[in-house]
Amino acid sequence: MKLNDRKIREDLKRFSVPAYEPDKMKETIFLAKKAYRERLLSKRIGFWEFITMQVRFIGRWVWLSQAALLIGSLCLLNRFHFGKADMQPVFLLLSSAASVIAFVGFPEILKSYAHNMEEIEECTRFSMRKLMGSRMLILGLADLCSMTIILAVSAAGNASLILRMILYLFVPFNLTCCACLTVLDHVKSRYDGYYSGAICVACIMLFYKLALDKKYYEAAATGAWIVFFYISIAYLAIEIVRVFQSFNRVCFNDETLSAKWQ
Amino acid sequence: MYDEKLIRRIKSGDMEALGVLIQKYYNDIYAYCYRRLDNKHDAQDVTQEVFLHFCRNFDSYTQRGKCRNYLYAVAHNLCINAMQKKTPIPLEDVERKSPYDDVAVDRFEAADCVESALNELPKEQKEVILLRFYHDFKLKEIAQIMDSGLSITKYRLSQGIKTLSKLLSKEDWI
């Protein structure tokens, strides 16, 4: 610091400021908190901000299960697949893993509904429909990411069979999702989570059984599974829209909301 | 606590963090406003308005610079507004303070002298001096707060120091 600056600084120190009133500071804090809360209420949030906000509300066990499933699948793929001509263990694994991946997310989608939370959710800032829709989107994207990683690792060893691998991965996944969404759309019950779980378990067993059958692979080669693939994607798209639209209907038809004022 | 951490907590809806941030900067902003407005009540009101503005426009505040600089920039603009709104007091009504009245100059008078000397400076020079010597801002930061160029800020500071040195050396109390 220059000598001149130091001298000026010392001189300026003589100009002291009177102490502020502590009550005024308390008032400022109170008003600032109020202004911040009002801003939160009137604030419009963007789509991705809403989605990232909802990610935090998805249970940790879902992410842990998803991660465990992915790591387990990759470990098994590494053990069975690489350096072996026989692809059956890989296909078996892919088919089973796809249904299990779908199985993990469904109870979470129905969490609020299954725990009688719909009245509270409806009173809050986001409607039940938005919440359910966001959960479906987040878990759907997470499932797709997991399956893409499994597919990429599987295809790394044998790229010529990638189309068949896509079919073995996505047809069981799509069919499991279609079955669960059909239940959600047509059976209006608090036990939909259990029904979905039961359907997923049935699908896992079915595809595991099919994977052991050699005809199953031949069907994929002849193109029967390609037809299945397209049909399942179309049906899945329709069901997603129907389920999404039905959430408000489900909530407002419920007896808890039909109670009259005494 | 670091400002970035506080801002992150405020963004996630933590009201306590907002209180901590206000307590952290209240005195600095108040002192700055007081030295510019020369009135305790006006300074407190403008300080309050600075924090309310910060809360209302929290979304537009991005963590690009320092939170402290942002608050001073808001205070700078609000002080200008407050000074424009202030009703001018006729010169004849102002009791001229003289530092030469008493030989034994006490602290109050010394402060009064410095204040008078600062008030002699042009507004921009006074503000650069305040931010540099009372609030320890770097020249680049002062330029950002005042929304002016770095070279003009340097010039204002050197001119301010020269004038202030002259004014203060005139006074016998130093």
Side-chain angles (χ1 to χ4, degrees):
Chain A
M1 194 188 290
K2 287 176 190 172
L3 192 66
N4 203 16
D5 280 12
R6 203 180 300 150
K7 193 176 177 307
I8 291 272
R9 199 180 286 269
E10 278 166 14
D11 292 342
L12 288 173
K13 270 182 189 168
R14 294 166 198 267
F15 179 17
S16 57
V17 173
Y20 60 82
E21 289 159 24
D23 288 343
K24 193 74 181 174
M25 190 179 78
K26 281 179 193 164
E27 187 191 308
T28 303
I29 294 173
F30 173 76
L31 290 173
K33 285 180 180 176
K34 196 178 158 195
Y36 191 79
R37 276 192 210 102
E38 279 168 6
R39 185 198 68 88
L40 283 178
L41 288 174
S42 59
K43 182 183 142 193
R44 284 182 67 82
I45 62 165
F47 176 72
W48 289 111
E49 199 181 344
F50 170 64
I51 294 294
T52 47
M53 190 193 283
Q54 291 304 314
V55 168
R56 284 182 290 163
F57 294 109
I58 289 178
R60 272 188 198 158
W61 69 270
V62 177
W63 301 122
L64 288 174
S65 315
Q66 192 88 273
L69 202 59
L70 182 64
I71 292 165
S73 303
L74 294 179
C75 290
L76 285 171
L77 271 173
N78 192 35
R79 188 177 168 193
F80 287 118
H81 177 36
F82 291 107
K84 289 187 181 179
D86 187 13
M87 294 294 289
Q88 190 165 345
V90 181
F91 292 149
L92 178 76
L93 180 72
L94 289 177
S95 302
S96 313
S99 299
V100 180
I101 286 170
F103 173 66
V104 171
F106 270 97
E108 189 67 16
I109 294 173
L110 290 163
K111 191 168 68 176
S112 299
Y113 187 59
H115 292 91
N116 297 329
M117 294 291 285
E118 64 270 35
E119 273 183 313
I120 296 167
E121 301 280 22
E122 279 300 323
C123 297
T124 55
R125 197 171 167 196
F126 307 111
S127 66
M128 191 74 173
R129 188 174 157 179
K130 278 185 188 170
L131 290 180
M132 295 273 204
S134 66
R135 280 179 208 160
M136 280 168 69
L137 180 71
I138 293 162
L139 293 168
L141 285 175
D143 289 352
L144 277 178
C145 283
S146 298
M147 289 201 300
T148 309
I149 293 167
I150 293 173
L151 186 68
V153 174
S154 311
N158 199 340
S160 60
L161 291 171
I162 189 161
L163 279 175
R164 217 186 272 193
M165 285 175 184
I166 289 172
L167 290 177
Y168 285 126
L169 198 61
F170 281 92
V171 171
F173 178 78
N174 287 354
L175 289 175
T176 310
C177 289
C178 285
C180 291
L181 287 172
T182 308
V183 170
L184 294 190
D185 186 22
H186 296 285
V187 184
K188 303 284 187 292
S189 162
R190 291 192 188 288
Y191 304 108
D192 278 355
Y194 297 110
Y195 298 152
S196 303
I199 288 169
C200 287
V201 172
C203 288
I204 292 165
M205 289 168 71
L206 174 74
F207 288 111
Y208 183 77
K209 197 86 179 149
L210 277 174
L212 296 172
D213 193 346
K214 209 180 172 186
K215 284 177 191 171
Y216 174 66
Y217 299 111
E218 284 164 2
T222 54
W225 273 60
I226 297 172
V227 177
F228 257 130
F229 179 69
Y230 285 119
I231 291 171
S232 65
I233 281 187
Y235 186 74
L236 190 61
I238 294 165
E239 276 303 321
I240 286 171
V241 174
R242 280 172 64 96
V243 168
F244 182 66
Q245 286 173 342
S246 72
F247 277 136
N248 274 357
R249 221 168 44 236
V250 171
C251 298
F252 286 110
N253 283 344
D254 202 88
E255 72 278 2
T256 51
L257 288 177
S258 62
K260 288 176 185 170
W261 287 98
Q262 296 299 312
Chain B
M1 194 183 286
Y2 292 117
D3 289 349
E4 284 146 31
K5 203 175 172 185
L6 282 174
I7 295 293
R8 243 181 285 133
R9 278 175 58 192
I10 296 169
K11 263 187 184 170
S12 65
D14 185 350
M15 291 291 123
E16 287 308 307
L18 183 63
V20 173
L21 188 87
I22 294 171
Q23 279 175 336
K24 187 178 173 184
Y25 288 116
Y26 190 90
N27 192 39
D28 290 346
I29 298 291
Y30 161 73
Y32 170 74
C33 294
Y34 178 83
R35 287 190 179 109
R36 288 204 63 192
L37 301 170
D38 201 17
N39 182 300
K40 185 180 171 178
H41 295 288
D42 288 350
Q44 286 185 150
D45 289 344
V46 171
T47 306
Q48 188 171 84
E49 202 47 51
V50 169
F51 289 106
L52 293 183
H53 178 95
F54 175 73
C55 292
R56 287 189 198 116
N57 301 284
F58 193 77
D59 288 330
S60 61
Y61 164 68
T62 44
Q63 192 67 24
R64 257 181 268 161
K66 289 177 188 168
C67 174
R68 180 172 173 251
N69 296 10
Y70 178 78
L71 289 171
Y72 273 91
V74 176
H76 161 77
N77 292 327
L78 291 177
C79 282
I80 291 173
N81 292 349
M83 284 190 288
Q84 282 169 350
K85 280 179 196 168
K86 218 172 175 180
T87 321
I89 304 163
L91 277 175
E92 55 268 26
D93 294 347
V94 180
E95 192 186 326
R96 185 81 187 161
K97 293 170 189 172
S98 169
Y100 316 111
D101 292 347
D102 203 340
V103 180
V105 180
D106 61 7
R107 249 182 107 75
F108 176 79
E109 283 173 321
D112 201 31
C113 275
V114 177
E115 193 183 338
S116 307
L118 278 170
N119 286 335
E120 292 285 319
L121 297 175
K123 277 177 193 170
E124 290 82 8
Q125 286 181 21
K126 180 187 170 184
E127 188 169 359
V128 175
I129 296 280
L130 290 182
L131 290 169
R132 180 82 184 100
F133 294 109
Y134 286 109
H135 301 278
D136 292 319
F137 277 106
K138 290 173 190 162
L139 279 168
K140 203 178 165 187
E141 292 173 322
I142 297 171
Q144 278 176 347
I145 289 169
M146 293 179 68
D147 198 21
S148 58
L150 187 62
S151 50
I152 188 81
T153 310
K154 276 182 189 169
Y155 175 75
R156 280 171 183 164
L157 182 68
S158 64
Q159 287 301 306
I161 290 172
K162 268 184 203 169
T163 320
L164 201 61
S165 302
K166 275 180 199 168
L167 287 167
L168 292 176
S169 60
K170 273 184 198 171
E171 321 284 352
D172 282 333
W173 58 272
I174 298 173

